[in-house]
């Protein structure tokens, strides 16, 4: 029989065996209070000198943090709190750990990042990584339950999807240059024409030169793509999807949210409908708040431009100012075409507008989703590929989707780590992925 800490409530009054590690231990006279962890959770033990053998008592004294141990004891419930304890009967030492570099005291972030392979054992990282898993599982469940087919996209690609400035290149045998995928979208579009509603979900890569609290060079993206969906259908789906994921995290990861001291009330407010503002309306918000565009001069100094000029993309401070007065994600739609990717469809009512949508998370978490209706007209798309100086040859297969039964279609991409960062209310995105890759970090 195997017992796990997260299921311990069902064994109150019974003897169980926990196979795990010692996280911490406190002694108080003839009592010791070891904290065990087994990967599914943390639990306090009570060792009473008069209840255990001399050997067990002495063995407990030898234990160091992260020693691997097998403990036998009776499960009891805390009289007041929703917590369980183990009244320890027996101890088997598997290994006495060397002095563990990460103690329950505070450590500097670079030190912790260097020890990421050990840092993930601590309660906070445990909580974040379990919430990450819940977000992934609920994304997949949502997609499956709503008729989407998983359609994996390749990682090696011959061309850019999201601009040529953030490509990671690599030699590909005799076939020349390949790049690590920035987005599976173009392939998802082919999938949507074959299977109706599809999604991909996998790692994507961007050689982001920016060292910010929300950029990774390797991150996971979920990208649904739907045939016969316009921008409004796309926004309805985004809204429904986000409400579902947040609901699942609240329902299944309450303990982990508590470990992180996450303000639950703020997450409970994530209900339909979400505010929708056009880019033009977002500019009004910025200008009413007098938030300028910051532009770097060639000499490196900064210039503040007021009012914020039409056509520029938003930075973190603009996104924060836009969502400030809302307690839900804000959908910013209808963007200046010049600020957006080549594949976005133009608004039939205004050729300068792209039918794109960015979702800005509340509490200053910024853009968590980018999406759009796609250009479905062959001539328009060809023109756009040329304007963006993309290699037309490489896009012939993508253009085929506009040659053979082209239909209006839309999709979006959700940055998993940005979403998890928001759920967990983190300072920095690096904690949301087991082994983060950033401009200055490749190890461990
Ligand atoms: O807005 P982006 O660049 O959109 C696309 O890639 C589209 N092809 C998606 C689509 O329509 N199928 O990226 C989508 C999301 C962003 O909103 C953000 O959440 C995340 O991916 N993202 C990053 N996350 C972490 N680190 C980075 N460097 C990121 N770049 C984008
Ligand atoms: Mg974007």
């Amino acid at each position: 029989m195997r017992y796990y800490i997260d299921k311990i409530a069902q064994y109150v009054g019974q003897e169980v065996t926990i196979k795990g590690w010692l996280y911490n231990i406190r002694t108080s006279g003839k009592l010791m209070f070891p904290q065990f962890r087994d990967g599914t959770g943390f639990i306090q033990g009570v060792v009473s000198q008069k209840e255990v053998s001399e050997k067990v008592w002495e063995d407990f004294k030898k234990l160091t943090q992260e020693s691997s141990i097998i403990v036998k004891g009776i499960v009891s419930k805390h009289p007041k709190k929703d917590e369980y304890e183990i009244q320890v009967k027996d101890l088997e030492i598997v290994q006495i750990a060397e002095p563990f570099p990460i103690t329950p005291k505070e450590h500097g972030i670079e030190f912790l990042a260097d020890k990421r392979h050990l840092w993930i054992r601590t309660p906070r990282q445990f909580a974040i990584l379990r919430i990450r898993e819940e977000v992934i599982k609920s994304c997949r469940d949502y997609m499956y339950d709503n008729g989407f087919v998983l359609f994996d996209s390749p990682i090696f690609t011959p061309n850019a999807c999201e601009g040529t400035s953030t490509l990671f290149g690599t030699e590909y045998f005799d076939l020349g240059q390949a790049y690590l995928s920035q987005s599976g979208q173009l392939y998802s579009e082919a999938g949507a024409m074959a299977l109706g509603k599809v999604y991909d979900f996998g790692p994507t890569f961007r050689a982001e030169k920016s060292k910010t609290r929300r950029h990774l060079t390797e991150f996971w993206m979920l990208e649904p793509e739907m045939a016969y969906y316009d921008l409004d259908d796309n926004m309805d789906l985004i809204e429904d999807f986000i409400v579902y994921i947040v609901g699942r995290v609240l329902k299944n990861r309450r303990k982990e949210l508590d470990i992180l001291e996450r303000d639950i009330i703020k997450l409970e407010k994530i209900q339909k409908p979400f505010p929708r503002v056009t880019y033009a309306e977002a500019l009004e918000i910025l200008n009413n708040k007098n938030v300028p565009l910051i532009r770097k001069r060639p000499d490196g100094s900064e210039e503040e431009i007021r009012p914020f000029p039409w056509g520029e993309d938003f930075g973190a401070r603009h996104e924060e100012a836009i969502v400030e007065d809302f307690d839900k994600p804000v959908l910013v739609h209808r963007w200046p075409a010049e600020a957006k990717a080549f594949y976005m469809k133009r608004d039939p009512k205004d050729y300068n507008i792209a039918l794109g949508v960015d979702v800005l998370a509340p509490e200053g978490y910024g853009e968590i989703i980018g999406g759009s209706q796609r250009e479905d007209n062959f001539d328009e798309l060809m023109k756009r590929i040329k304007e963006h100086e993309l290699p037309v040859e490489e896009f012939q297969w993508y253009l085929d989707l506009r040659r053979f039964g082209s239909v209006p279609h839309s999709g979006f991409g959700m940055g998993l780590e940005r979403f998890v960062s928001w759920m967990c209310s983190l300072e920095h995105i690096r904690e949301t992925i087991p082994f983060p890759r950033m401009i200055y970090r490749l190890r461990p």
Side-chain angles (χ1 to χ4, degrees):
M1 179 87 181
R2 284 184 182 272
Y3 300 93
Y4 290 101
I5 292 172
D6 65 342
K7 299 276 179 336
I8 216 71
Q10 58 198 82
Y11 302 108
V12 173
Q14 297 179 37
E15 187 177 274
V16 299
T17 304
I18 297 291
K19 298 184 175 187
W21 297 264
L22 182 84
Y23 173 62
N24 203 359
I25 190 159
R26 178 161 73 75
T27 310
S28 163
K30 292 182 182 321
L31 290 175
M32 278 192 259
F33 300 98
Q35 261 182 293
F36 308 123
R37 58 169 204 92
D38 73 345
T40 73
F42 293 77
I43 194 166
Q44 173 159 291
V46 182
V47 189
S48 161
Q49 192 171 7
K50 59 179 196 306
E51 299 285 330
V52 296
S53 70
E54 173 108 28
K55 177 171 185 325
V56 167
W57 182 258
E58 289 307 315
D59 275 355
F60 261 104
K61 286 193 195 159
K62 286 185 214 151
L63 294 185
T64 53
Q65 186 188 347
E66 287 303 310
S67 287
S68 34
I69 50 178
I70 298 172
V71 172
K72 256 199 194 101
I74 312 276
V75 180
S76 61
K77 186 170 184 305
H78 193 285
K80 296 197 190 87
K81 289 188 262 176
D82 185 27
E83 276 173 24
Y84 298 85
E85 285 181 339
I86 294 187
Q87 309 296 324
V88 175
K89 300 277 166 233
D90 202 5
L91 168 70
E92 182 190 324
I93 296 174
V94 181
Q95 193 226 0
I96 298 281
E98 291 178 28
F100 196 65
I102 304 169
T103 57
K105 67 163 202 198
E106 291 269 314
H107 294 281
I109 187 66
E110 287 307 317
F111 174 83
L112 290 170
D114 286 340
K115 299 271 181 288
R116 182 63 176 166
H117 51 297
L118 303 176
W119 185 23
I120 50 178
R121 301 185 188 190
T122 59
R124 189 184 148 78
Q125 302 309 312
F126 159 90
I128 296 167
L129 292 174
R130 283 173 69 99
I131 289 169
R132 175 188 169 97
E133 196 259 355
E134 183 67 29
V135 172
I136 294 173
K137 178 74 165 74
S138 54
C139 284
R140 293 199 185 278
D141 287 348
Y142 182 92
M143 290 291 135
Y144 188 86
D145 293 345
N146 287 281
F148 287 76
V149 178
L150 176 63
F151 186 80
D152 300 310
S153 62
I155 299 290
F156 285 128
T157 60
N159 53 261
C161 176
E162 296 296 326
T164 48
S165 64
T166 62
L167 285 170
F168 277 113
T170 176
E171 286 294 308
Y172 199 84
F173 304 110
D174 297 334
L175 299 182
Q177 185 78 20
Y179 304 99
L180 299 182
S181 177
Q182 298 170 308
S183 156
Q185 178 197 321
L186 307 185
Y187 299 98
S188 287
E189 287 185 52
M193 300 306 133
L195 299 157
K197 293 196 291 184
V198 299
Y199 74 103
D200 71 20
F201 197 178
T204 45
F205 305 86
R206 307 237 175 135
E208 300 273 7
K209 307 276 179 338
S210 35
K211 193 186 168 207
T212 76
R213 60 193 197 92
R214 45 162 111 149
H215 284 93
L216 294 166
T217 53
E218 176 176 341
F219 61 97
W220 282 60
M221 197 173 4
L222 169 104
E223 292 180 279
E225 192 71 32
M226 301 76 63
Y228 290 104
Y229 265 53
D230 65 14
L231 180 65
D232 287 335
D233 298 327
N234 201 15
M235 292 198 282
D236 292 345
L237 173 69
I238 288 173
E239 213 174 56
D240 196 57
F241 171 75
I242 293 178
V243 169
Y244 177 80
I245 310 299
V246 175
R248 276 277 298 264
V249 171
L250 279 169
K251 181 164 163 267
N252 295 338
R253 288 292 172 259
R254 248 339 227 279
K255 270 210 177 85
E256 287 78 2
L257 293 170
D258 287 346
I259 292 176
L260 299 170
E261 295 174 359
R262 178 66 165 105
D263 185 347
I264 304 289
I265 312 267
K266 291 215 168 100
L267 292 182
E268 283 171 344
K269 287 197 181 133
I270 310 303
Q271 299 295 340
K272 285 195 269 188
F274 295 169
R276 296 181 187 190
V277 302
T278 61
Y279 174 86
E281 288 162 344
L283 275 202
E284 258 177 63
I285 297 177
L286 290 180
N287 291 329
N288 287 338
K289 298 186 178 197
N290 207 21
V291 185
L293 172 75
I294 312 272
R295 201 177 269 152
K296 268 218 160 72
R297 294 198 188 91
D299 67 2
S301 64
E302 286 179 348
E303 178 186 11
E304 297 194 350
I305 302 167
R306 291 191 178 81
F308 188 103
W310 200 91
E312 294 285 340
D313 202 354
F314 301 141
R317 62 190 318 229
H318 308 109
E319 293 179 350
E320 274 168 44
I322 293 163
V323 297
E324 204 169 42
D325 303 326
F326 302 100
D327 47 18
K328 296 180 188 186
V330 178
L331 278 61
V332 182
H333 60 99
R334 292 185 161 73
W335 287 73
E338 68 221 57
K340 288 292 181 192
F342 77 96
Y343 51 71
M344 290 194 188
K345 189 173 177 63
R346 300 291 172 103
D347 190 340
K349 295 192 196 103
D350 183 347
Y351 195 73
N352 295 315
I353 299 282
L355 294 175
V357 56
D358 273 12
V359 181
L360 310 182
E363 303 175 66
Y365 278 91
E367 183 196 329
I368 49 170
I369 284 180
S372 70
Q373 186 168 337
R374 319 306 190 188
E375 184 51 73
D376 51 353
N377 177 279
F378 181 92
D379 295 328
E380 282 294 321
L381 184 60
M382 179 62 105
K383 201 168 121 203
R384 227 60 62 59
I385 288 172
K386 287 182 178 157
E387 276 168 14
H388 282 79
E389 295 175 1
L390 294 167
V392 177
E393 250 336 282
E394 294 295 357
F395 286 88
Q396 284 302 339
W397 71 267
Y398 184 64
L399 285 158
D400 270 357
L401 307 177
R402 280 73 179 166
R403 287 187 181 103
F404 305 107
S406 190
V407 302
H409 63 289
S410 301
F412 65 88
M414 182 196 85
L416 173 67
E417 290 78 15
R418 296 243 182 118
F419 199 97
V420 174
S421 221
W422 167 43
M423 286 299 96
C424 298
S425 185
L426 304 181
E427 274 293 309
H428 197 291
I429 196 167
R430 71 186 135 216
E431 289 177 277
T432 60
I433 185 163
F435 293 95
R437 296 291 176 250
M438 293 172 294
I439 180 164
Y440 296 119
R441 182 154 298 274
L442 180 63
R443 299 184 174 84

